[in-house]
Amino acid sequence: MTIAPKFLKELENTEGVLVRKLNEEAARQSEIEQISIDEKTFRWMINEDAMATEKLAEGIRNFTKDLEKLEEQMAKRL
């Protein structure tokens, strides 16, 4: 997971109690059905979800753009 710098700054400046929302014991007690899938099934499922497919592709493209910007900045400093 990547977190935008503005959100990291916001987290840094936030004070208070952090309450754990997810934990293993609660997951075991939930009524959500556990599924096991292989890569082929995962790829089919994500392909069937247009938003998931588009957002994943958008995220990869944006990550690549940011990586290229970082590489350019680093090249200037070397």
Side-chain angles (χ1 to χ4, degrees), residues 69-78:
K69 289 178 190 176
L70 178 62
E71 288 173 342
E72 288 175 17
Q73 291 177 6
M74 295 303 292
K76 290 177 184 177
R77 295 177 185 223
L78 296 178

Side-chain angles (χ1 to χ4, degrees), residues 4-33:
K6 70 178 184 177
F7 295 125
L8 288 175
K9 191 67 173 170
E10 184 178 331
L11 284 171
E12 183 179 4
N13 295 327
T14 302
E15 292 187 23
V17 177
L18 180 62
V19 178
R20 180 179 286 251
K21 298 287 186 175
L22 302 174
N23 64 62
E24 187 175 349
E25 187 57 36
R28 289 181 201 275
Q29 294 177 7
S30 74
E31 295 181 15
I32 298 172
E33 179 185 353

Side-chain angles (χ1 to χ4, degrees), residues 2-69:
T2 56
I3 301 175
K6 70 178 184 177
F7 295 125
L8 288 175
K9 191 67 173 170
E10 184 178 331
L11 284 171
E12 183 179 4
N13 295 327
T14 302
E15 292 187 23
V17 177
L18 180 62
V19 178
R20 180 179 286 251
K21 298 287 186 175
L22 302 174
N23 64 62
E24 187 175 349
E25 187 57 36
R28 289 181 201 275
Q29 294 177 7
S30 74
E31 295 181 15
I32 298 172
E33 179 185 353
Q34 180 177 351
I35 63 171
S36 297
I37 60 173
D38 58 11
E39 182 179 352
K40 178 181 174 184
T41 304
F42 170 79
R43 289 180 180 273
W44 178 258
M45 290 172 70
I46 201 166
N47 186 59
E48 289 294 295
D49 185 332
M51 185 171 74
T53 302
E54 292 166 13
K55 294 312 264 182
L56 176 61
E58 178 185 6
I60 292 169
R61 284 191 301 272
N62 288 335
F63 190 83
T64 301
K65 286 179 193 174
D66 289 342
L67 177 61
E68 290 170 352
K69 289 178 190 176

